[in-house]
Amino acid sequence: MALFTKNQKSFELCLESNKKQIVKAAYQDEGRGPVVLLLHGFLSESSCWRAVTQILKNKYRCISLDLLGFGESSKPEIDYKIESQVSYIHHFMKALCIDSFYIIGHSLGGWIAASYALKYKESVLGLVLAAPAGISEELDKYQILKPLSWETPIIDWVLNLVSVFSSIFKKKETVNTIKHYRYQLLYEPIMKAWFRRIFKGEMSTELIDRSIQDISSATLIIAAEKDLTIPFWYCQAYEDKIPNAQLKVIAEANHQLPTDNGTLVAELFDDFVNNLINEKSVIPNPT
């Protein structure tokens, strides 16, 4: 259930079938000022930014978007490629009549934000990547989940049998988590599509290692010191390859930066924007 009321915007989009269809974007729009678009991570949705937007909305217009396939946005039966999310965001912002804006992306949202900055650099005023994915993903480790995607009742029988003994061995929470992933892989369109492509080894073609250096937007990377999901070297790779990128590390933080460290993320973003504005103000006009 959403933590706050979301707006909805419908627009026509050409998806991976090359057929145009109407999709619905769910989002929260609050505050006034320069526009900042906030993109959540995998298995999340726009309400994760609540702690961030409660601070930034006093100075910025904050648009927190449910990515395609997540939250209350449309969930079409497609492969959910990164380029599809980029196209979805582009058409969504056009539907709102917004041509230029800042972007904050977390995890998968960071991967998508970086990809957006590569394709639509003229629209991006500044780019903030919080624990961004998209760098040399070690996708083989997810092969362990493949049996959970098998459409056979045998898997459910085994899980139900294990559940009977899970309390005795204090593994009930673990078994419930496995059951949750089983449900997601069978019935949630984006999970089905995403992991089907991982199991087939198709996801690696969308990594952006080789094109990161072409990002021309001013960029801030925010890393979490104790992130067990996105290795610190991912953030370092983004910093090393993006010209003039900055890297800030939040001490003691885990991967859930938007929810657990929202205040610091908001402050780092505001400092980043203020510095950009100050730098532009001191550039002499050509004579």
Side-chain angles (χ1 to χ4, degrees):
M1 183 174 65
L3 299 179
F4 51 88
T5 303
K6 297 177 184 178
N7 302 316
Q8 294 184 355
K9 176 68 70 173
S10 296
F11 50 90
E12 192 174 58
L13 185 63
C14 186
L15 293 170
E16 293 155 18
S17 63
N18 290 323
K19 293 182 179 179
K20 290 185 178 180
Q21 58 181 283
I22 301 298
V23 297
K24 177 187 69 177
Y27 65 102
Q28 178 76 3
D29 189 345
E30 52 190 337
R32 293 183 179 180
V35 177
V36 52
L37 175 67
L38 300 100
L39 306 177
H40 61 79
F42 198 66
L43 296 183
S44 186
E45 44 91 32
S46 57
S47 65
C48 76
W49 293 108
R50 193 61 171 165
V52 177
T53 58
Q54 285 304 290
I55 296 173
L56 294 184
K57 71 178 184 179
N58 297 316
K59 189 175 178 180
Y60 301 90
R61 180 183 175 187
C62 301
I63 300 176
S64 311
L65 174 66
D66 283 352
L67 291 168
L68 194 63
F70 294 95
E72 297 175 31
S73 290
S74 293
K75 298 176 174 61
E77 294 287 344
I78 59 174
D79 283 342
Y80 289 96
K81 296 178 180 179
I82 298 298
E83 63 186 30
S84 298
Q85 297 286 4
V86 169
S87 179
Y88 164 76
I89 293 166
H90 179 67
H91 284 80
F92 166 70
M93 296 304 279
K94 289 295 184 184
L96 293 182
C97 299
I98 299 173
D99 295 322
S100 58
F101 47 94
Y102 298 95
I103 307 181
I104 306 178
H106 173 241
S107 197
L108 170 63
W111 182 356
I112 294 169
S115 299
Y116 190 94
L118 281 167
K119 187 168 184 178
Y120 298 108
K121 58 184 178 181
E122 69 283 352
S123 298
V124 181
L125 300 174
L127 181 66
V128 176
L129 308 175
I135 298 286
S136 299
E137 293 281 347
E138 300 169 0
L139 300 174
D140 288 344
K141 63 185 178 183
Y142 295 109
Q143 293 294 332
I144 194 173
L145 297 175
K146 191 171 184 177
L148 297 180
S149 69
W150 294 345
E151 296 182 1
T152 169
I154 295 176
I155 302 296
D156 299 301
W157 296 341
V158 171
L159 287 174
N160 289 334
L161 180 61
V162 172
S163 293
V164 175
F165 302 98
S166 62
S167 297
I168 299 175
F169 296 101
K170 298 181 180 180
K171 296 294 183 181
K172 187 173 183 179
E173 184 176 346
T174 300
V175 174
N176 286 339
T177 298
I178 293 172
K179 284 185 172 182
H180 174 70
Y181 277 110
R182 164 75 169 165
Y183 177 86
Q184 295 275 330
L185 288 168
L186 286 179
Y187 302 112
E188 287 295 327
I190 193 164
M191 282 288 285
K192 289 169 59 179
W194 192 269
F195 278 92
R196 180 176 63 246
R197 294 172 61 225
I198 287 177
F199 299 150
K200 291 181 178 179
E202 298 174 353
M203 287 294 298
S204 59
T205 61
E206 295 188 60
L207 299 174
I208 58 174
D209 302 57
R210 296 180 181 178
S211 53
I212 293 176
Q213 67 274 6
D214 296 326
I215 293 176
S216 59
S217 304
T219 305
L220 170 66
I221 299 107
I222 303 176
E225 183 184 33
K226 296 188 175 180
D227 195 332
L228 300 179
T229 302
I230 297 295
F232 181 67
W233 68 265
Y234 279 32
C235 298
Q236 289 179 311
Y238 271 100
E239 180 197 20
D240 292 340
K241 293 183 178 182
I242 299 176
N244 302 314
Q246 307 170 45
L247 174 63
K248 299 291 184 180
V249 181
I250 298 182
E252 301 297 318
N254 60 29
H255 185 62
Q256 304 305 324
L257 289 172
T259 52
D260 295 355
N261 300 93
T263 299
L264 279 174
V265 170
E267 291 174 352
L268 287 172
F269 171 78
D270 189 43
D271 288 343
F272 170 66
V273 173
N274 288 335
N275 288 335
L276 288 181
I277 294 173
N278 290 335
E279 288 173 6
K280 290 180 180 179
S281 67
V282 298
I283 297 176
N285 293 323
T287 56

